[in-house]
Amino acid sequence: DHVLDRARYPEQGHQELQPHLWELRHLTALYLNNNKISRLPPEICQLQNLVHLDLSNNKLRSLPVELGDMLKLHDLLLTNNSIRILPYELGRLFQLTKLELEGNPLTPELLQKSREVNGTQKLLQLLLDTLEAPASPPDRPWISIREKTGKHMSFKVMCYNILSDSLAKGTKY
């Protein structure tokens, strides 16, 4: 049983992506380069296992904010598009090591930062710093603890790690 984990969209000047693409949730690499794609749908975020996404040489003018939810991305290739601004949500892509932006009409500041040593990390930090803080989490009910063991009361505390979308287990820290 061999599962396809990479997909290359034919370089035939496609302008739109077909909805069936979002069903391929096991993909780790997606090559959409050298087409005429002008819009990347927010459904791209359904491909949560993507590590490599090549969107270079298209006609993209903007990126969906949902791209910032693709936490496994390491490589995001956006060269030679028409992207003028980057969504601040890209700052949440902590595993991103390669962000290629050349050939886009971005601000000189963003392009310069991306060319610096460790430019991807510096650019992501700039975007993250500019990202508005999310709304406060909903109030949680207090939990009364009645269980006693001997002279001492014992309980477990679990907390949510906002950086990795998982519980912060005691064994991790």
Side-chain angles (χ1 to χ4, degrees):
D1 293 321
H2 182 69
V3 176
L4 176 73
D5 68 342
R6 295 173 179 263
R8 182 175 300 279
Y9 219 66
E11 299 173 6
Q12 298 176 353
H14 292 283
Q15 295 180 345
E16 292 185 20
L17 299 172
Q18 300 302 314
H20 74 274
L21 186 59
W22 317 132
E23 297 170 15
L24 304 174
R25 293 192 171 96
H26 56 280
L27 289 179
T28 58
L30 182 57
Y31 300 89
L32 299 170
N33 54 311
N34 299 317
N35 282 287
K36 294 180 182 175
I37 301 166
S38 60
R39 181 181 170 276
L40 187 64
E43 289 82 8
I44 186 78
C45 73
Q46 293 176 23
L47 304 178
Q48 286 294 309
N49 290 310
L50 275 187
V51 173
H52 180 89
L53 179 57
D54 188 350
L55 291 160
S56 56
N57 301 306
N58 277 290
K59 305 232 180 259
L60 293 171
R61 301 188 77 151
S62 63
L63 299 170
V65 297
E66 290 83 1
L67 206 54
D69 295 332
M70 301 180 71
L71 302 178
K72 292 184 181 179
L73 267 183
H74 285 222
D75 305 319
L76 180 56
L77 312 181
L78 299 168
T79 55
N80 300 319
N81 278 284
S82 299
I83 300 168
R84 294 185 179 282
I85 58 169
L86 296 174
Y88 299 135
E89 287 78 4
L90 290 184
R92 296 193 306 235
L93 300 177
F94 296 107
Q95 294 191 45
L96 199 67
T97 56
K98 186 178 196 180
L99 177 60
E100 293 184 357
L101 298 169
E102 291 298 322
N104 285 289
L106 291 164
T107 64
E109 176 195 10
L110 290 179
L111 287 172
Q112 179 58 38
K113 193 161 289 285
S114 72
R115 291 183 197 117
E116 293 176 9
V117 175
N118 297 323
T120 295
Q121 285 72 32
K122 290 177 182 178
L123 187 55
L124 293 177
Q125 189 61 52
L126 175 69
L127 294 170
L128 185 62
D129 289 346
T130 313
L131 182 64
E132 288 185 24
S136 299
D139 288 337
R140 296 183 179 99
W142 284 94
I143 300 172
S144 299
I145 301 174
R146 303 267 183 227
E147 181 182 339
K148 289 186 179 182
T149 57
K151 295 181 179 179
H152 302 284
M153 184 181 291
S154 66
F155 59 92
K156 289 184 180 180
V157 175
M158 302 293 283
C159 65
Y160 189 72
N161 183 342
I162 61 169
L163 298 179
S164 71
D165 286 340
S166 65
L167 282 176
K169 298 174 181 71
T171 56
K172 274 187 167 178
Y173 299 99

